[in-house]
Every structure is written in C-alpha cells, then in structure tokens.
Amino acid sequence: MKTLQKLAFATGLIGLLYSCQSTNQVLSKSDKRTEIMNTIANDEMMSKEMMGVLMNSKSGQMMMMKEHHAKMMGMMKEDPEMMKGMMKGMMEKVKNDDAMMSDMCKSMMDNPDMMKMMEKMKAEKMDMSKMKGMDKKSK
C-alpha cells in the first residue's frame, strides 16, 4: 500500500510540475498566445488592465507613440491644409521661444532629409517670388 501511495504521490508531483509552465513557455506557443490575447481583448476589465500595463512600460509607450505618429502623418497626407495650419502654428510658437528655436534648428541641422526638404522649400519660395516679380513687369 505504501508503494502505491508513493507512486501516486510521485505521479501527482510530476503532473503538477509539468502543468506549471513558465510564462515564456506558454506564450511561445502561437495558439495559446492568440487565445490569451483574444480573452484579454474580449474582456473590458482585462483590456483596461492591459492598457495600463502597456502605458507603464517603455516599449508600450513607444508603440503607442509610433501608432499615434503614423495616424497623424496619415491625416496630414490626406488633408494638406491641416498640415499647413499645424506647421504655421508651430512656427509661430517657435518664433516666440528662443530655446525652442535653437532646439529646432539643431535637430534640423542633424537631419539631412530635413535639410534637403528645407532647401527645396526655400528654392520653391524663391521661384514663386521670381514669378510674382515677372507678373508685375509684364503689366
């Protein structure tokens, strides 16, 4: 009888240890991970809790910022007037703040793509002013 108890205890212990998998082991299985995510997504309280956890982690904050940035860029591409308005507002704000102007100039100087865009805008503005001058001469 003692042998049977020891065997049952050993089997129970092995079963218990087997069922206690680490979080990484559970999440490494695609179907289990998807099931967990769906459960969280379909439960309002769990979803709120998950959003709280995401907002308190650096990677979660970065992910949210990237998503927000992508949405804003998409909106600006769809509505050029909105983009012009936002840029005008930012430029007015920067004009009144020397520290912000200095930071903006430094970041523009460090970004070759931004410098190319500024040079292109400057050239277009120069071309437009030449065109306006020609209109006056032809009259």
Side-chain angles (χ1 to χ4, degrees):
M1 187 66 146
K2 281 196 167 208
T3 309
L4 186 58
Q5 284 179 333
K6 287 180 183 178
L7 184 61
F9 179 73
T11 305
L13 187 60
I14 291 171
L16 180 65
L17 291 175
Y18 181 74
S19 68
C20 294
Q21 297 176 359
S22 75
T23 305
N24 288 336
Q25 286 175 324
V26 172
L27 292 176
S28 69
K29 297 175 183 152
S30 179
D31 57 331
K32 289 289 184 188
R33 186 175 56 246
T34 302
E35 185 180 336
I36 291 169
M37 288 188 289
N38 286 334
T39 301
I40 292 170
N42 293 325
D43 185 296
E44 186 177 350
M45 290 303 293
M46 284 187 200
S47 294
K48 286 181 181 178
E49 191 176 336
M50 185 64 174
M51 289 302 291
V53 170
L54 283 172
M55 293 308 290
N56 288 328
S57 75
K58 288 218 181 265
S59 63
Q61 288 174 350
M62 289 300 292
M63 179 189 69
M64 298 297 258
M65 289 297 290
K66 285 179 184 177
E67 185 177 319
H68 178 72
H69 184 260
K71 284 182 183 177
M72 285 300 291
M73 294 305 286
M75 286 172 52
M76 287 193 293
K77 282 183 180 178
E78 291 174 12
D79 189 359
E81 290 301 315
M82 181 180 79
M83 181 176 69
K84 287 178 186 174
M86 287 176 69
M87 291 297 286
K88 186 177 180 181
M90 287 191 307
M91 292 305 290
E92 289 298 320
K93 190 173 184 179
V94 168
K95 283 180 187 176
N96 298 326
D97 188 339
D98 291 340
M100 193 181 288
M101 177 67 91
S102 176
D103 288 345
M104 186 179 83
C105 288
K106 183 181 180 316
S107 65
M108 285 172 46
M109 295 279 214
D110 292 342
N111 186 339
D113 291 335
M114 180 68 80
M115 288 302 293
K116 286 178 188 174
M117 185 176 81
M118 293 302 290
E119 288 171 11
K120 182 180 173 189
M121 288 171 61
K122 193 177 188 182
E124 287 174 2
K125 189 172 185 179
M126 292 292 284
D127 288 343
M128 291 301 287
S129 65
K130 287 179 185 176
M131 295 293 267
K132 287 180 183 175
M134 288 181 164
D135 287 345
K136 290 178 185 175
K137 288 179 184 176
S138 63
K139 290 183 179 178

